[in-house]
Amino acid sequence: MEANVPDYRRIVVRGRTALEQAGHFTIRVFAQIQGVSGDSMASQGDVGCCYVNVEDACETGCVAACERASYNAHSASAKQDCTMACIRACVRPDIPLGRFTTTVPTNK
């Protein structure tokens, strides 16, 4: 692969954040990566696991789901792009909780 050329066709991330009780947030993330040589989907989220703020929930959930999906799709460049897109979609100042979705296409 050439430098700076993504080795994926598309990334789709969907998720949901929720306030379970005061100061305890949960997240569920689904990351799908359509790689050049294979596709993969991974999820992350624990019902019993709670985070003290939405940002921590988003970062932890996004990193874990994107890491597994990119590894299984054999797409090294997708991990960072997936993680950053997921965190940006998940952490929204105007709507701090609820469902989120984002897509990262390439021009390949």
Side-chain angles (χ1 to χ4, degrees), residues 8-99:
Y8 60 88
R9 291 187 304 273
R10 190 172 107 165
I11 298 169
V12 178
V13 181
R14 293 181 177 88
R16 180 178 184 274
T17 55
L19 177 62
E20 297 300 320
Q21 55 182 296
H24 289 91
F25 298 88
T26 59
I27 186 167
R28 185 76 172 159
V29 176
F30 297 92
Q32 180 181 12
I33 296 175
Q34 295 175 346
V36 174
S37 62
D39 297 347
S40 178
M41 182 183 287
S43 65
Q44 178 67 27
D46 298 315
V47 174
C49 182
C50 295
Y51 301 93
V52 295
N53 58 49
V54 174
E55 292 82 3
D56 285 345
C58 290
E59 183 173 351
T60 302
C62 289
V63 167
C66 289
E67 184 174 284
R68 283 196 312 280
S70 63
Y71 177 80
N72 291 331
H74 308 287
S75 176
S77 67
K79 180 181 172 184
Q80 182 175 356
D81 292 349
C82 177
T83 301
M84 295 312 296
C86 180
I87 291 171
R88 280 193 302 272
C90 183
V91 179
R92 300 158 301 174
D94 54 335
I95 307 171
L97 299 174
R99 296 179 189 271

